[in-house]
Amino acid sequence: MKTPFKLKVVQYLIRIYFERWSFERNPKRHQERMWLKLQKHVLSRSPKYNSLEFQDLKTFPIQEKKEFMGDFNAINTQELDFNEAMEIAVKAENSRDFTPTIKGLTVGLSSGTSGNRGLFVVSENERAMWVAVIIQRVIKWSFKKRKVAFFLRANSNLYSSVQSKLIAFHFFDLLSPMEDHIRRIQQLQPDIVVGQPSLLKLLAEAQKNNSIQIQPQKVISVAEVLSPEDEKTIENTFMVPVQQVYQCAEGMLGQTCKHGNLHLNEDGLIVEKEWLDNNRFIPIITDLRRNTQPLIRYKMNDILHATECTCGSKMQALTTIEGRMDDVLQFGQDKIIFPDFIRRTIIGASPEIDNYQVIQVSYRELSLFISDVELWEAAASALDAFFKSQGIPNIAIFKSNTLRHEKGSKLRRIHAKSSPTM
Ligand SMILES: [Zn+2]
């Protein structure tokens, strides 16, 4: 008999509880055991990986999104064809009907900020696992009935599976007009709000000017980089700390702990670090729990900022997801500037600046948008002084009157001309 979905979620809740316990006792031994299990039960069914069975992880090739997608047919364990799966995913996205599946598996598209869309496929077991991780680590268990307002670009079966007597998910399609969201969320009065920071900020503004009056107990930030300024605005408005979730192609990579740091879910992931300096690294992820589309040594495009956390967990703590490699500005051959420095410089120019954007037009030109035009000069001269202090003279800074942000896409406050090769 087929196990009902909700029962599966409960089974996974128990399983990940023990996995976390096992990791915290002995991280290395736990990961080695999970890695062996993954090879035996999952990679043996993947045409790409079955010949590499029972070898050291380091012998497996590192893949970026492009190769990962290019190798889709060889990687997946269900003999799925990329074009067939893509067709279903695109059709679902265009019709906004997200129920079709392929061989009983859920397909979806993940939007990359660089425009290249990723295709992900998950089984019902993986959906149940995802739900269990979300409940255990983000929403937290409660016997009180709660309503969740979930803003996302595309719905998929993945999310609508989280319905029960205790948690009711309500989906807000990011492509709908903001007025509709305002009306619906006011009616709903959610206990939990989940969305990208640019959207959460719009909701905070609506709350401030009394278009809505909501009292969520949790505000959860997903998808985009959450800057400390946006975090403060949202927290001050809703009077609750903003929790962050770090996801990739629908895998849960990490979330905020009670001390406000993000932790990578290393009880289900092996994270290799490509260090950029003493604190910053690019993660290379091996997901020990996925089995339809195994994620092995997948090199992300993110810059993570490592830290130590006193909450007691041995899982790697991060102060922040600092940005993406696409946001690193390059000047000439060898000079690079991390997006965090640009952000700090602009914010440092005036405490009133909270909406800005920098777009690198060429190695010598930047366009700068500041919502409060009276503060533009201050921000521009702070940037100018910063570049000079870094030995990058003669950068022309132009005024931009509009924020570049396509509806439904991720807001990027800092756009580099092209990502540097490092
Ligand atoms: Zn912590």
Side-chain angles (χ1 to χ4, degrees):
M1 201 187 81
K2 199 166 165 284
T3 318
F5 188 77
K6 278 174 199 166
L7 187 59
K8 278 188 184 169
V9 173
V10 174
Q11 287 170 344
Y12 280 118
L13 273 168
I14 296 165
R15 187 172 132 187
I16 57 173
Y17 175 85
F18 280 108
E19 283 177 358
R20 179 162 70 180
W21 173 81
S22 158
F23 175 89
E24 296 291 356
R25 262 183 87 208
N26 190 332
K28 212 168 170 289
R29 203 178 62 196
H30 170 82
Q31 287 184 337
E32 272 166 13
R33 213 162 35 205
M34 295 267 289
W35 169 235
L36 271 177
K37 253 183 13 194
L38 183 82
Q39 294 191 77
K40 196 167 157 202
H41 300 297
V42 178
L43 300 192
S44 54
R45 291 184 286 120
S46 158
K48 182 176 172 74
Y49 295 123
N50 62 10
S51 59
L52 290 165
E53 222 183 335
F54 301 112
Q55 294 194 30
D56 191 76
L57 178 64
K58 302 268 186 230
T59 60
F60 284 67
I62 293 178
Q63 292 203 306
E64 294 191 38
K65 189 172 184 177
K66 208 171 144 233
E67 292 106 46
F68 183 65
M69 282 300 125
D71 267 1
F72 178 89
N73 293 6
I75 290 174
N76 84 78
T77 57
Q78 300 296 318
E79 297 177 353
L80 299 173
D81 176 64
F82 180 83
N83 295 329
E84 261 173 64
M86 191 58 148
E87 201 180 312
I88 290 178
V90 169
K91 216 184 265 173
E93 173 128 336
N94 293 339
S95 66
R96 319 302 287 164
D97 170 14
F98 296 96
T99 44
T101 54
I102 182 167
K103 292 188 182 173
L105 304 161
T106 299
V107 287
L109 296 171
S110 63
S111 63
T113 42
S114 37
N116 51 340
R117 292 201 284 190
L119 179 70
F120 68 86
V121 186
V122 285
S123 64
E124 190 177 87
N125 284 347
E126 287 170 303
R127 279 197 289 142
M129 165 76 76
W130 182 86
V131 172
V133 177
I134 288 272
I135 292 174
Q136 189 199 56
R137 302 192 182 172
V138 185
I139 292 173
K140 305 279 160 72
W141 188 252
S142 163
F143 282 106
K144 190 178 159 282
K145 184 172 167 58
R146 290 174 301 171
K147 292 175 281 187
V148 184
F150 203 138
F151 289 83
L152 70 170
R153 192 172 137 272
N155 197 346
S156 86
N157 285 333
L158 186 62
Y159 305 103
S160 41
S161 51
V162 203
Q163 302 290 356
S164 79
K165 284 198 185 70
L166 294 173
I167 301 170
F169 269 62
H170 298 261
F171 295 99
F172 291 70
D173 189 333
L174 279 175
L175 294 174
S176 305
M178 194 64 197
E179 307 88 78
D180 291 2
H181 295 331
I182 298 281
R183 190 175 36 77
R184 260 187 79 201
I185 201 166
Q186 174 66 17
Q187 246 168 25
L188 180 66
Q189 291 295 318
D191 303 286
I192 299 169
V193 179
V194 187
Q196 53 200 76
S198 53
L199 185 278
L200 295 175
K201 239 185 118 191
L202 290 175
L203 290 179
E205 275 162 29
Q207 176 99 346
K208 271 197 241 165
N209 66 30
N210 281 321
S211 312
I212 54 170
Q213 296 92 33
I214 57 171
Q215 292 87 36
Q217 289 120 44
K218 269 182 203 288
V219 175
I220 297 161
S221 156
V222 292
E224 289 166 2
V225 172
L226 174 69
S227 72
E229 309 80 69
D230 290 352
E231 187 177 358
K232 212 167 94 195
T233 312
I234 299 162
E235 284 188 358
N236 289 347
T237 310
F238 294 113
M239 311 294 277
V240 283
V242 180
Q243 283 179 279
Q244 257 194 100
V245 168
Y246 180 33
Q247 289 216 92
C248 138
E250 311 317 309
M252 275 284 295
L253 302 186
Q255 63 284 311
T256 318
C257 74
K258 56 183 187 287
H259 289 216
N261 289 313
L262 273 156
H263 286 269
L264 295 172
N265 287 325
E266 287 180 295
D267 57 340
L269 301 170
I270 293 174
V271 184
E272 298 171 72
K273 303 181 178 89
E274 191 176 305
W275 290 100
L276 298 169
D277 61 19
N278 287 337
N279 312 100
R280 294 179 173 85
F281 68 92
I282 302 174
I284 299 165
I285 304 276
T286 296
D287 195 317
L288 301 165
R289 290 185 179 132
R290 290 176 84 118
N291 49 49
T292 308
Q293 196 182 8
L295 203 67
I296 307 295
R297 302 195 88 196
Y298 181 81
K299 186 173 169 184
M300 307 274 295
N301 189 19
D302 299 327
I303 305 166
L304 307 185
H305 202 125
T307 187
E308 308 261 319
C309 186
T310 50
C311 72
S313 173
K314 294 193 181 95
M315 299 191 201
Q316 175 68 57
L318 312 169
T319 50
T320 175
I321 300 155
E322 203 178 283
R324 305 176 59 89
M325 285 307 287
D326 303 343
D327 306 334
V328 175
L329 303 189
Q330 187 169 21
F331 297 94
Q333 276 307 309
D334 54 353
K335 198 77 198 169
I336 59 156
I337 300 287
F338 289 110
D340 195 44
F341 289 103
I342 302 288
R343 182 186 71 74
R344 283 170 196 268
T345 304
I346 293 174
I347 296 303
S350 162
E352 281 151 63
I353 297 177
D354 70 342
N355 194 4
Y356 63 89
Q357 189 171 49
V358 171
I359 296 172
Q360 186 181 28
V361 184
S362 74
Y363 290 141
R364 293 270 158 247
E365 295 161 302
L366 297 179
S367 96
L368 171 65
F369 165 82
I370 303 285
S371 62
D372 188 342
V373 286
E374 286 178 21
L375 299 170
W376 190 91
E377 286 296 339
S381 57
L383 273 180
D384 188 56
F386 169 74
F387 286 125
K388 284 187 178 128
S389 76
Q390 297 298 307
I392 310 171
N394 308 323
I395 298 292
I397 301 169
F398 298 107
K399 191 181 267 175
S400 163
N401 296 319
T402 46
L403 183 72
R404 192 206 284 180
H405 185 200
E406 204 180 305
K407 196 174 175 61
S409 69
K410 296 178 183 178
L411 172 65
R412 286 170 64 197
R413 294 211 180 273
I414 294 158
H415 281 255
K417 190 179 164 291
S418 61
S419 54
T421 41
M422 294 183 71

